[in-house]
Structure formats: C-alpha cells, structure tokens
Amino acid sequence: MDTIIDQATGCHASVHFHHRGHVLARYSSRHGHLARRLFQLYAGLALYGASSALLVRSGLGLEPWNVLHQGLSERTGLSMGVVLTLVGAAVLLLWIPLRQRPGLGTVSNVLVIGAAMDATLAVVPDAHAMAVRVPLMAAGIVLNGAATGLYIAARFGPGPRDGLMTGLNRRTGVSVRLVRTAIEITVVVTGFLLGGTVGVGTLLYAVTIGPLAQLFLRAFAVPSASDGSTVVATAQPRRAILRP
C-alpha cells in the first residue's frame, strides 16, 4: 500500500511540475514574442525616419508625403521632422469623424519618425556629387522598404496616413487604390508648389516600394504567440504601407 501511495504521489507531483513548466514556457514565449514585436515596431519607425532623411540629402526626389513635409518646412522654417510630426497629429485628428481607432504603432508613428529624421539630417550632410547622391537615394528607398516591413509585421496598428486612407475607403466606398492615388497626387502637387523636391527618386520610390515592402514583410514576419506559426503577407500591402 505504501508503494502505491508513493507512486501516486510521485505521479501527481510530476504532472503538477509538467503543467507548471508548460505555463511558464508559454508565459516566457508570449513575453518574448511581445518583446520582438516592440523591437520591430520602434526599429522600423526609427529606420523609416533615417531612410527618409537619406532621400532628403540625395536631393533626387522624396516619397509623396515628404514632398509636402519639405515644402511646409521651407515655408515655415520648422525642421522637416517637426513638420512631419505636426502633420501626422493633424491627420490623426481626421480619424475621429472616420471612427478609426489608433494603436500603439499609430501614436508611435507620430512621435518617433520625425525625431529620427531630424537626428539623421543633423549628422548626414547634403550631397553634391552625383556619385554620392545616387547611392544615398538607392539606400534610402531600400531601407525605407525594410522599415516598412519591420513596422507592419509588428502588427501594432497603421500609421496616421494609412488610417486616413482606409477610413475614407470604408466611409465613401471608393477603392483603396483610388483613395490612395488621389491623396498622394494631392500631397505631391501641394508639396511641389510649396518648394518640395520631386524627381527621379519620387518615381523610383513609387514603383519599388510595394515589392520591397512585400519582400521585407516576409523576412520580418513575426510567429504567432499561440502556435508558433508565422504570419506572412501573400498580397501587395496596399492597406498597410507605412508613410511618415
């Protein structure tokens, strides 16, 4: 009888220990998963601001929204990073009538990208030789795609301008493609009239950012915390492209 009791007690203790170990493993996995997502979020935002600054220094053309930001910077005397932050906050206010809900990524977008851009502009000088300007442009576009993949794969919510795009799509019924095109044409034209730089970099950015974002979304996809599976985008990230 004593042997039976000891065996039963030992089995119970073994099961309890196994269950406790399983819970601790899941807890550790979830926290590790969250830590990775947060790292990707802020690394992506910082890299986005830095890569945009490289495009500015190349002088060969900017992504659509930064054409507007540069134009406003020229007119107001504020730094591009400050303008980017203020415009992002203003766009975020437009979410209210569209009933969009911001996430951590949305708010962080407004606060981090502009600061990272100004910090990079402070240490990277203007380029004058074409042998320097072209590599700066190419690096800016590729790193921008990497930043987009990092940020979106973290799944903390869209940037303010993307939320505006998807909100207008839901409210008006107009396709995302048409809404995006209309918004970007508007900001590019307005920015150009204010003094923003439009050039070959603007065109190359428009043509390559989709494929680059898709590539880096796959590279930086975060495994699910529950089953270890990896979420990978299978279509062009039209609804989620990060914009400063």
Side-chain angles (χ1 to χ4, degrees):
M1 185 66 178
D2 290 339
T3 302
I4 295 175
I5 292 173
D6 288 341
Q7 288 177 347
T9 305
C11 179
H12 176 73
S14 176
V15 170
H16 178 72
F17 179 79
H18 176 74
H19 175 70
R20 183 178 181 184
H22 181 65
V23 170
L24 288 173
R26 289 184 62 186
Y27 178 82
S28 177
S29 175
R30 288 181 180 177
H31 276 252
H33 177 263
L34 178 60
R36 174 178 170 177
R37 290 176 61 209
L38 287 169
F39 175 79
Q40 287 198 193
L41 169 67
Y42 290 106
L45 292 174
L47 183 59
Y48 200 102
S51 61
S52 294
L54 295 183
L55 287 171
V56 173
R57 291 305 189 214
S58 78
L60 294 175
L62 305 176
E63 59 267 53
W65 278 94
N66 274 336
V67 175
L68 176 63
H69 299 149
Q70 188 181 51
L72 289 171
S73 176
E74 293 288 336
R75 297 289 181 172
T76 62
L78 298 173
S79 71
M80 275 192 69
V82 170
V83 170
L84 187 153
T85 300
L86 292 175
V87 171
V91 171
L92 196 55
L93 291 176
L94 296 177
W95 282 34
I96 297 173
L98 295 175
R99 296 183 181 178
Q100 292 280 91
R101 291 185 178 181
L104 174 64
T106 311
V107 177
S108 298
N109 181 297
V110 175
L111 300 175
V112 174
I113 294 180
M117 175 183 277
D118 275 350
T120 306
L121 289 173
V123 297
V124 178
D126 284 322
H128 302 288
M130 195 60 67
V132 177
R133 296 172 67 191
V134 171
L136 277 178
M137 177 191 69
I141 293 173
V142 173
L143 292 175
N144 202 277
T148 300
L150 278 167
Y151 172 87
I152 296 173
R155 304 194 306 274
F156 277 108
R161 296 149 186 84
D162 289 312
L164 175 64
M165 177 180 66
T166 55
L168 288 172
N169 159 252
R170 191 176 65 252
R171 284 291 177 177
T172 65
V174 178
S175 71
V176 170
R177 179 175 297 180
L178 287 177
V179 171
R180 173 181 171 180
T181 300
I183 291 174
E184 293 195 350
I185 288 176
T186 300
V187 298
V188 167
V189 171
T190 303
F192 177 73
L193 293 175
L194 291 173
T197 304
V198 176
V200 64
T202 309
L203 178 60
L204 286 175
Y205 183 91
V207 171
T208 62
I209 191 60
L212 283 171
Q214 184 68 22
L215 172 65
F216 287 110
L217 273 169
R218 291 181 179 275
F220 298 126
V222 180
S224 170
S226 58
D227 59 9
S229 63
T230 300
V231 178
V232 178
T234 58
Q236 289 289 347
R238 292 173 183 166
R239 292 177 178 266
I241 292 295
L242 169 67
R243 294 182 187 83

Coordinates of all heavy atoms in Angstrom, one line a residue, residues 176-235:
V176 N -9.5 51.5 -52.3 CA -8.3 51.9 -51.7 C -7.3 52.5 -52.7 O -6.6 53.5 -52.4 CB -7.6 50.8 -50.9 CG1 -6.2 51.1 -50.4 CG2 -8.5 50.3 -49.7
R177 N -7.2 51.8 -53.8 CA -6.3 52.3 -54.8 C -6.6 53.7 -55.3 O -5.7 54.6 -55.4 CB -6.3 51.4 -56.0 CG -5.4 51.8 -57.2 CD -5.3 50.8 -58.3 NE -4.8 49.5 -57.8 CZ -4.7 48.4 -58.6 NH1 -5.1 48.5 -59.9 NH2 -4.2 47.3 -58.1
L178 N -7.9 54.0 -55.5 CA -8.3 55.4 -56.0 C -8.1 56.4 -54.8 O -7.6 57.5 -55.1 CB -9.7 55.4 -56.4 CG -10.0 54.7 -57.8 CD1 -11.5 54.7 -58.1 CD2 -9.2 55.4 -58.9
V179 N -8.4 56.0 -53.6 CA -8.3 56.9 -52.5 C -6.8 57.2 -52.3 O -6.4 58.4 -52.1 CB -8.8 56.3 -51.2 CG1 -8.5 57.2 -50.0 CG2 -10.4 56.2 -51.3
R180 N -6.0 56.2 -52.3 CA -4.5 56.4 -52.1 C -3.9 57.3 -53.3 O -3.1 58.2 -53.0 CB -3.8 55.0 -52.2 CG -2.3 55.1 -52.2 CD -1.7 53.7 -52.2 NE -0.2 53.8 -52.4 CZ 0.6 52.8 -52.5 NH1 0.1 51.6 -52.3 NH2 1.8 52.9 -52.7
T181 N -4.3 57.0 -54.5 CA -3.8 57.8 -55.6 C -4.2 59.2 -55.5 O -3.4 60.1 -55.7 CB -4.4 57.2 -57.0 OG1 -3.9 55.9 -57.1 CG2 -3.9 58.0 -58.1
A182 N -5.5 59.5 -55.1 CA -6.0 60.9 -55.0 C -5.2 61.6 -53.9 O -4.8 62.8 -54.1 CB -7.5 60.9 -54.7
I183 N -5.0 60.9 -52.8 CA -4.3 61.6 -51.6 C -2.9 61.9 -52.0 O -2.4 63.0 -51.8 CB -4.4 60.7 -50.4 CG1 -5.8 60.6 -49.8 CG2 -3.4 61.2 -49.3 CD1 -6.0 59.6 -48.7
E184 N -2.2 60.9 -52.6 CA -0.8 61.1 -52.9 C -0.6 62.1 -54.0 O 0.4 62.9 -54.0 CB -0.1 59.8 -53.2 CG -0.1 58.8 -52.0 CD 0.8 57.7 -52.2 OE1 1.3 57.4 -53.3 OE2 1.0 57.0 -51.2
I185 N -1.4 62.2 -55.0 CA -1.3 63.2 -56.0 C -1.5 64.6 -55.4 O -0.7 65.5 -55.7 CB -2.3 63.0 -57.2 CG1 -1.9 61.8 -58.0 CG2 -2.4 64.2 -58.0 CD1 -2.9 61.4 -59.1
T186 N -2.5 64.7 -54.5 CA -2.7 65.9 -53.8 C -1.5 66.4 -53.0 O -1.1 67.6 -53.1 CB -4.0 65.8 -52.9 OG1 -5.1 65.4 -53.7 CG2 -4.3 67.1 -52.2
V187 N -0.9 65.5 -52.2 CA 0.2 65.9 -51.3 C 1.4 66.2 -52.2 O 2.2 67.1 -51.8 CB 0.5 64.9 -50.2 CG1 -0.8 64.7 -49.3 CG2 0.9 63.5 -50.8
V188 N 1.6 65.4 -53.2 CA 2.8 65.7 -54.1 C 2.7 67.1 -54.8 O 3.7 67.9 -54.8 CB 3.0 64.6 -55.1 CG1 4.0 65.0 -56.2 CG2 3.5 63.3 -54.5
V189 N 1.6 67.3 -55.4 CA 1.4 68.6 -56.1 C 1.5 69.8 -55.1 O 2.1 70.8 -55.4 CB 0.0 68.6 -56.8 CG1 -0.3 70.0 -57.4 CG2 0.1 67.6 -58.0
T190 N 0.8 69.6 -54.0 CA 0.8 70.7 -53.0 C 2.3 70.9 -52.5 O 2.7 72.1 -52.4 CB -0.1 70.4 -51.8 OG1 -1.4 70.2 -52.3 CG2 -0.1 71.5 -50.8
G191 N 2.9 69.8 -52.1 CA 4.3 69.9 -51.7 C 5.2 70.5 -52.7 O 6.1 71.4 -52.4
F192 N 5.1 70.2 -53.9 CA 5.9 70.7 -55.0 C 5.7 72.2 -55.2 O 6.7 73.0 -55.3 CB 5.6 70.0 -56.3 CG 6.4 70.5 -57.5 CD1 7.7 70.2 -57.7 CD2 5.7 71.3 -58.5 CE1 8.4 70.7 -58.7 CE2 6.4 71.8 -59.6 CZ 7.8 71.5 -59.7
L193 N 4.5 72.6 -55.1 CA 4.2 74.1 -55.2 C 4.7 74.9 -54.0 O 5.0 76.0 -54.2 CB 2.6 74.3 -55.3 CG 2.0 73.8 -56.6 CD1 0.5 73.9 -56.5 CD2 2.5 74.5 -57.8
L194 N 4.9 74.2 -52.9 CA 5.4 74.8 -51.7 C 7.0 74.8 -51.7 O 7.6 75.4 -50.8 CB 4.9 74.2 -50.4 CG 3.4 74.4 -50.1 CD1 3.0 73.5 -49.0 CD2 3.1 75.9 -49.9
G195 N 7.6 74.1 -52.6 CA 9.0 74.0 -52.7 C 9.6 72.6 -52.4 O 10.8 72.5 -52.3
G196 N 8.8 71.6 -52.3 CA 9.3 70.3 -52.0 C 10.0 69.7 -53.3 O 9.7 70.1 -54.4
T197 N 10.8 68.7 -53.0 CA 11.6 68.1 -54.1 C 10.9 66.9 -54.8 O 10.6 65.9 -54.1 CB 13.0 67.7 -53.6 OG1 13.7 68.8 -53.0 CG2 13.8 67.1 -54.8
V198 N 10.6 67.0 -56.0 CA 10.1 65.9 -56.8 C 11.1 65.6 -57.9 O 11.6 66.5 -58.6 CB 8.7 66.3 -57.5 CG1 8.2 65.2 -58.4 CG2 7.7 66.6 -56.4
G199 N 11.4 64.3 -58.0 CA 12.5 63.9 -59.0 C 12.4 62.5 -59.3 O 11.4 61.8 -59.0
V200 N 13.5 61.9 -59.8 CA 13.6 60.5 -60.2 C 13.4 59.7 -58.9 O 12.9 58.6 -59.0 CB 14.9 60.2 -60.9 CG1 16.1 60.5 -59.9 CG2 15.0 58.8 -61.4
G201 N 13.9 60.1 -57.8 CA 13.7 59.4 -56.5 C 12.2 59.2 -56.2 O 11.8 58.1 -55.7
T202 N 11.4 60.2 -56.5 CA 10.0 60.1 -56.2 C 9.4 59.0 -57.1 O 8.6 58.2 -56.6 CB 9.3 61.4 -56.5 OG1 10.0 62.5 -55.8 CG2 7.8 61.4 -56.1
L203 N 9.7 59.0 -58.4 CA 9.2 57.9 -59.3 C 9.7 56.5 -58.9 O 8.9 55.6 -58.9 CB 9.7 58.3 -60.7 CG 9.2 57.3 -61.8 CD1 7.7 57.2 -61.9 CD2 9.8 57.7 -63.2
L204 N 11.0 56.4 -58.6 CA 11.5 55.1 -58.3 C 10.9 54.6 -57.0 O 10.6 53.4 -56.8 CB 13.1 55.2 -58.1 CG 13.9 55.3 -59.4 CD1 15.3 55.5 -59.1 CD2 13.7 54.0 -60.2
Y205 N 10.7 55.5 -56.0 CA 10.0 55.1 -54.8 C 8.6 54.6 -55.1 O 8.2 53.5 -54.5 CB 9.9 56.3 -53.9 CG 9.3 56.0 -52.5 CD1 10.2 55.6 -51.4 CD2 8.0 56.1 -52.3 CE1 9.6 55.3 -50.2 CE2 7.4 55.8 -51.0 CZ 8.2 55.4 -50.0 OH 7.7 55.1 -48.8
A206 N 7.9 55.3 -55.9 CA 6.5 54.8 -56.2 C 6.5 53.5 -56.8 O 5.6 52.6 -56.6 CB 5.8 55.9 -57.1
V207 N 7.5 53.2 -57.7 CA 7.5 51.9 -58.4 C 8.0 50.8 -57.6 O 7.5 49.6 -57.7 CB 8.4 52.1 -59.7 CG1 8.6 50.7 -60.4 CG2 7.7 53.1 -60.7
T208 N 8.9 51.0 -56.7 CA 9.6 49.9 -56.0 C 9.1 49.7 -54.6 O 9.4 48.6 -54.0 CB 11.1 50.2 -55.9 OG1 11.4 51.4 -55.2 CG2 11.7 50.3 -57.3
I209 N 8.4 50.6 -53.9 CA 8.2 50.4 -52.5 C 7.2 49.3 -52.3 O 7.3 48.6 -51.2 CB 7.6 51.8 -51.9 CG1 7.5 51.7 -50.4 CG2 6.2 52.1 -52.5 CD1 8.9 51.4 -49.7
G210 N 6.3 49.0 -53.2 CA 5.4 47.9 -53.0 C 6.1 46.5 -53.0 O 6.0 45.8 -52.0
P211 N 6.9 46.2 -54.0 CA 7.7 45.0 -54.0 C 8.7 44.9 -52.8 O 8.8 43.8 -52.2 CB 8.4 45.0 -55.4 CG 7.5 45.8 -56.2 CD 6.9 46.9 -55.3
L212 N 9.3 46.0 -52.5 CA 10.3 46.0 -51.4 C 9.6 45.7 -50.1 O 10.0 44.9 -49.3 CB 11.0 47.3 -51.3 CG 12.1 47.5 -52.3 CD1 12.6 49.0 -52.3 CD2 13.3 46.6 -52.1
A213 N 8.4 46.3 -49.9 CA 7.7 46.1 -48.6 C 7.2 44.7 -48.5 O 7.3 44.0 -47.5 CB 6.5 47.0 -48.6
Q214 N 6.8 44.1 -49.6 CA 6.3 42.7 -49.7 C 7.5 41.8 -49.3 O 7.4 40.8 -48.5 CB 5.8 42.3 -51.0 CG 5.2 40.9 -51.2 CD 4.0 40.7 -50.4 OE1 3.3 41.7 -50.0 NE2 3.7 39.5 -50.0
L215 N 8.7 42.0 -49.9 CA 9.8 41.2 -49.6 C 10.2 41.2 -48.1 O 10.4 40.2 -47.5 CB 11.0 41.7 -50.4 CG 12.4 41.1 -50.1 CD1 12.4 39.6 -50.5 CD2 13.5 41.9 -50.9
F216 N 10.2 42.4 -47.5 CA 10.6 42.6 -46.2 C 9.6 42.2 -45.2 O 9.9 41.8 -44.0 CB 11.1 44.0 -45.9 CG 12.5 44.3 -46.5 CD1 12.6 45.2 -47.6 CD2 13.6 43.7 -46.0 CE1 13.8 45.4 -48.1 CE2 14.9 44.0 -46.6 CZ 15.0 44.8 -47.6
L217 N 8.3 42.2 -45.6 CA 7.2 41.7 -44.8 C 7.4 40.2 -44.5 O 7.3 39.7 -43.4 CB 5.9 41.9 -45.4 CG 5.2 43.3 -45.1 CD1 4.0 43.4 -46.0 CD2 4.7 43.3 -43.7
R218 N 7.8 39.5 -45.6 CA 8.1 38.1 -45.5 C 9.3 37.8 -44.6 O 9.4 36.9 -43.8 CB 8.3 37.4 -46.8 CG 7.0 37.4 -47.7 CD 7.3 36.8 -49.0 NE 6.1 36.7 -49.8 CZ 5.2 35.7 -49.7 NH1 5.4 34.7 -48.9 NH2 4.1 35.7 -50.5
A219 N 10.3 38.6 -44.7 CA 11.6 38.5 -44.0 C 11.4 38.7 -42.5 O 12.0 38.0 -41.7 CB 12.7 39.4 -44.5
F220 N 10.5 39.7 -42.2 CA 10.4 40.1 -40.8 C 9.1 39.6 -40.1 O 8.7 40.0 -39.0 CB 10.5 41.6 -40.6 CG 11.8 42.2 -41.1 CD1 11.9 43.2 -42.0 CD2 13.0 41.7 -40.5 CE1 13.1 43.7 -42.4 CE2 14.2 42.2 -40.9 CZ 14.2 43.2 -41.9
A221 N 8.4 38.7 -40.8 CA 7.1 38.2 -40.3 C 7.3 37.6 -38.9 O 8.3 36.9 -38.6 CB 6.5 37.1 -41.2
V222 N 6.4 37.9 -37.9 CA 6.5 37.5 -36.5 C 5.7 36.3 -36.3 O 4.5 36.3 -36.6 CB 6.1 38.6 -35.6 CG1 6.2 38.2 -34.1 CG2 6.9 39.9 -35.8
P223 N 6.3 35.2 -35.8 CA 5.5 34.0 -35.5 C 4.4 34.3 -34.5 O 4.5 35.1 -33.6 CB 6.5 33.0 -34.9 CG 7.9 33.5 -35.3 CD 7.7 35.0 -35.4
S224 N 3.3 33.6 -34.6 CA 2.2 33.7 -33.7 C 2.6 33.3 -32.3 O 3.3 32.3 -32.2 CB 1.0 32.9 -34.2 OG -0.1 32.9 -33.2
A225 N 2.1 34.0 -31.3 CA 2.5 33.6 -29.9 C 1.8 32.3 -29.5 O 2.3 31.6 -28.6 CB 2.1 34.7 -29.0
S226 N 0.7 32.0 -30.1 CA -0.1 30.8 -29.7 C 0.4 29.5 -30.2 O 0.5 28.5 -29.5 CB -1.6 31.0 -30.0 OG -1.7 31.2 -31.4
D227 N 0.7 29.5 -31.5 CA 1.0 28.2 -32.1 C 2.4 28.1 -32.8 O 2.8 27.1 -33.4 CB 0.0 27.8 -33.1 CG -0.2 28.8 -34.2 OD1 0.6 29.8 -34.3 OD2 -1.2 28.7 -35.0
G228 N 3.1 29.3 -32.7 CA 4.5 29.2 -33.3 C 4.5 29.4 -34.8 O 5.5 29.4 -35.4
S229 N 3.3 29.5 -35.4 CA 3.2 29.7 -36.9 C 3.6 31.1 -37.2 O 3.6 32.0 -36.4 CB 1.8 29.4 -37.4 OG 0.9 30.3 -36.8
T230 N 4.0 31.3 -38.5 CA 4.4 32.6 -39.0 C 3.4 33.2 -39.9 O 2.9 32.5 -40.8 CB 5.7 32.4 -39.7 OG1 6.7 31.9 -38.8 CG2 6.2 33.8 -40.2
V231 N 3.0 34.5 -39.6 CA 2.1 35.2 -40.5 C 2.9 35.8 -41.6 O 3.7 36.7 -41.3 CB 1.3 36.2 -39.6 CG1 0.3 37.0 -40.5 CG2 0.6 35.5 -38.5
V232 N 2.5 35.5 -42.8 CA 3.2 36.0 -43.9 C 2.2 36.7 -44.9 O 1.2 36.1 -45.2 CB 4.0 34.9 -44.7 CG1 4.7 35.5 -45.9 CG2 5.0 34.3 -43.8
A233 N 2.5 37.9 -45.3 CA 1.6 38.6 -46.3 C 1.7 37.8 -47.6 O 2.8 37.5 -48.1 CB 2.0 40.0 -46.5
T234 N 0.6 37.7 -48.3 CA 0.6 37.0 -49.6 C 0.1 37.9 -50.7 O 0.1 37.5 -51.8 CB -0.4 35.8 -49.5 OG1 -1.7 36.2 -49.2 CG2 0.1 34.7 -48.5
A235 N -0.2 39.1 -50.4 CA -0.6 40.1 -51.4 C 0.2 41.4 -51.2 O 0.8 41.6 -50.2 CB -2.1 40.3 -51.3

